[in-house]
Amino acid sequence: MEASLQITLQMVMTVIAGIGAQVLAEWLKVPSIVFLLLFGILLGSDGLNVLHPNLLGSGLEVIVALSVAVILFEGGLNLELRDLGRVSGSLRNLVTIGTLITLLGGGMAAHWLGEFPWSISFLYASLVVVTGPTVISPLLKQVPVDRRVAALLEGEGVLIDPVGAILAVVVLNIILNEDADLLSVAEGLVFRLGIGVVVGILGGWLLGVIVKLAQFLSDELKNLVVLAGLWGLFGLAQSIRSEAGLMATVVAGLVIRPSSDSEQRLLRRFKGQLTLLAVSVLFILLAADLSLASIVALGWGSLATVLVLMFVVRPINVWVCTWNSGMNWRQKLFLSWIAPRGIVSASVASLFAILLTERGFNGGASIKALVFLTIILTVSLHGLTARWLANWLQLSSQQATGAVIIGCNPLSVLIGRLFRERGESIVLIDTDPESGTLAEQENLPVYISSGLDIDTLEQAGLASAGTFLAMTNNGEVNLVLAQRAAEEFGPPRVLAVFPRDPQASSTGNNRVSQAFIPQLPIKTWNQYLTDRAVKLGETIFREEEMATQQTHLQNLMESGELLPLLVEREGHLQVASTTEEWQPDDRLIYLLHDPKPNLIKLLSGSIQPRLTLEKLPEVEMVTVTSEPEAIAQEEQPEPEPESL
């Protein structure tokens, strides 16, 4: 078979296996790297022996370098500087002090437990100081957690990758050049970081200017211009000093900011797709090149080394770096457990194994095997237990409480009051001071500002709130406000009152749910509340009567008599939405239109100075004829008239 055809088939097989692993992981809701490693090993020399990365020669190094550049750029592009600002002290400590703790702790563990020479031990430790966005980002998408915890994990993964890679190069140079002094080592580290930062800032700024000013370019071509510029910056920094390109790509991703949100979304989507493909290809190739025999040959000492790194070094690292950070023990415990190693560790370890072997040093294959053992254990254990641990520690973002509501009107004030009575935080925002008095009368906190003002949303606590609800009288404005909140803050539940069906929305943004009911006449219900022509009711769905209750409530909703407001499920209060189905034991809080004149209500004693929750007979007393009885009644003949 021709060499070119062999290489072609190898790449085709790699892409198919990588995307197949991603699809399977998405279906089973587990980190994709688990299946990427499994598929790679299965196709490699220790499995089916059909995938041979060595056929690519030096081309494998090129693929790894360019792919890692895209991955780190995308990581920098997706970092939210606002979120990082809240954890800046802890993040700085993790990237600096934490790196040193992992280097020392990992090196000592590898030497004393794994019985490696000191030089090889510290080289291993320098390779595993990194975590990496390739595993952290997919993990956090599948296991959404507290915003501060997520920001710290993502920031650490992106920023520590280039630092760790440069540190590993410095350690390798010390091993290869034993006469190197400490001053030259420090200079090499600082010089590489400095070159990367300077090239990244200048290049990222220039790319941002090009994207903003070149309006004649199509969105697709702009994305390719950024890709070409990214690889150009990477190559420039690498040509000045090896491994400086990694820091340049991260900084460029942080600096570049397209001129509009739509352009930024397109750029992030394009880079996200490239990153997904790059991660899939790299892990399959590197795992296929791995020898399982070399991992088994490491022995129990190496396994103990990895366990100490996970259960001793990482917790010490986190608790020292987050001292006086304001984080509670649950957040710190989750951070201590989640530190999976990713593609940078794997790719640099594979490269170092080749360099050490070429220079006649023993331990190159063992270093690679130990790094891959670390990757396999951390990814498997952390990835498969993250969701359970987040739920146990009550750190899942889905459990976040409180709400930020845009629009002060009788309906929103009532919802805010119900949240507050449950002990949850609530903040309302409106541009009209007169409308704000409605909230002040109920002693609800209100900001007189625009719902598009990021600083106002920040002060209102949207970063930690569980719900964002836009319910002004303008449905189109509500949808824009909700989309902006979802993009900037990403709260677990984003709802808005808007006229279109969410599936038919031209935005295609499935992060925004339609609140309450489709086509809500919000002005009408606000008038009902003003006229006191409503009752506030509650009902609990019973499993044996679920279908009957749903049918009855749906009829009342369609007739405009009932408006679902909130649903309490497993102790959590949520705004009712059109996309969520009711479940047994759910507690529904609703408004029921009561058209009786106020005079009659006053005389009968049914009018109340303040709406209070009650079980209303119009909803609770449901009499529905069973289907067999209904059919029998329909078939029963009418009685004949008696003859005179």
Side-chain angles (χ1 to χ4, degrees), residues 427-500:
V427 175
L428 287 88
I429 300 174
D430 201 297
T431 55
D432 183 13
E434 293 185 6
S435 299
T437 58
L438 290 173
E440 292 172 352
Q441 291 171 2
E442 289 285 348
N443 295 320
L444 296 174
V446 58
Y447 288 86
I448 305 303
S449 180
S450 169
L452 291 173
D453 188 343
I454 300 301
D455 292 334
T456 299
L457 295 175
E458 180 84 27
Q459 294 173 12
L462 184 54
S464 58
T467 301
F468 175 88
L469 173 60
M471 51 182 306
T472 70
N473 290 334
N474 191 320
E476 297 296 330
V477 170
N478 290 338
L479 190 56
V480 172
L481 291 169
Q483 290 170 345
R484 181 70 179 272
E487 292 167 2
E488 294 291 338
F489 292 89
R493 295 172 292 279
V494 182
L495 302 100
V497 175
F498 56 95
R500 295 191 300 271

Side-chain angles (χ1 to χ4, degrees), residues 277-413:
L277 178 61
V279 169
S280 303
V281 169
L282 288 184
F283 268 113
I284 292 292
L285 289 175
L286 296 178
D289 197 37
L290 179 66
S291 171
L292 292 180
S294 62
I295 294 181
V296 175
L298 291 174
W300 292 105
S302 295
L303 177 61
T305 299
V306 178
L307 295 178
V308 166
L309 187 72
M310 296 171 60
F311 292 98
V312 179
V313 177
R314 175 65 178 181
I316 293 175
N317 183 357
V318 168
W319 287 79
V320 169
C321 294
T322 58
W323 190 264
N324 291 330
S325 64
M327 288 188 167
N328 56 46
W329 68 269
R330 294 191 300 272
Q331 293 170 317
K332 293 180 180 181
L333 182 58
F334 189 82
L335 288 169
S336 300
W337 177 240
I338 302 300
R341 272 59 180 183
I343 196 64
V344 171
S345 294
S347 58
V348 178
S350 299
L351 177 61
F352 283 9
I354 297 173
L355 292 176
L356 288 172
T357 303
E358 290 177 349
R359 296 292 186 91
F361 284 84
N362 294 325
S366 298
I367 278 287
K368 179 181 176 181
L370 186 55
V371 169
F372 268 90
L373 177 62
T374 306
I375 293 173
I376 292 171
L377 286 179
T378 56
V379 166
S380 300
L381 292 177
H382 296 166
L384 297 177
T385 60
R387 186 183 301 276
W388 170 83
L389 184 62
N391 291 332
W392 182 67
L393 294 175
Q394 297 182 347
L395 290 178
S396 173
S397 62
Q398 300 301 323
Q399 297 175 327
T401 60
V404 174
I405 302 178
I406 309 296
C408 282
N409 50 59
L411 192 56
S412 65
V413 170

Side-chain angles (χ1 to χ4, degrees), residues 38 60-61 79 119 184 218 288 305-306 336 379 405 491 558 603 631:
L38 181 62
L60 179 59
E61 297 179 25
L79 279 183
S119 58
S184 63
S218 64
T305 299
V306 178
S336 300
V379 166
I405 302 178
E558 291 176 356
L603 293 174
I631 295 174

Side-chain angles (χ1 to χ4, degrees), residues 39-63:
F39 284 17
I41 294 173
L42 183 63
L43 295 174
S45 57
D46 287 337
L48 300 177
N49 197 27
V50 294
L51 188 58
H52 306 284
N54 60 297
L55 294 177
L56 300 175
S58 58
L60 179 59
E61 297 179 25
V62 176
I63 294 174

Side-chain angles (χ1 to χ4, degrees), residues 540-613:
I540 297 176
F541 290 101
R542 299 172 292 275
E543 187 170 5
E544 63 276 6
E545 301 176 4
M546 193 73 186
T548 301
Q549 288 178 294
Q550 286 184 331
T551 301
H552 182 57
L553 288 171
Q554 194 65 38
N555 291 335
L556 291 173
M557 289 161 55
E558 291 176 356
S559 65
E561 297 180 52
L562 185 141
L563 177 64
L565 297 181
L566 302 172
V567 177
E568 183 180 1
R569 178 177 299 160
E570 297 178 353
H572 297 287
L573 202 60
Q574 302 178 10
V575 176
S577 72
T578 60
T579 57
E580 192 169 4
E581 294 184 359
W582 295 324
Q583 300 176 10
D585 298 324
D586 280 356
R587 174 172 171 256
L588 177 68
I589 299 175
Y590 59 87
L591 281 177
L592 185 69
H593 181 213
D594 184 14
K596 289 190 296 185
N598 286 339
L599 180 59
I600 297 178
K601 296 180 189 177
L602 185 61
L603 293 174
S604 63
S606 61
I607 189 169
Q608 300 175 352
R610 182 183 178 87
L611 287 175
T612 56
L613 282 170

Side-chain angles (χ1 to χ4, degrees), residues 97 164 192 199 207 244 299 370 387 407 418 467 491 558:
I97 300 173
R192 285 182 171 89
V199 172
L207 281 175
L370 186 55
R387 186 183 301 276
L418 293 170
T467 301
E558 291 176 356

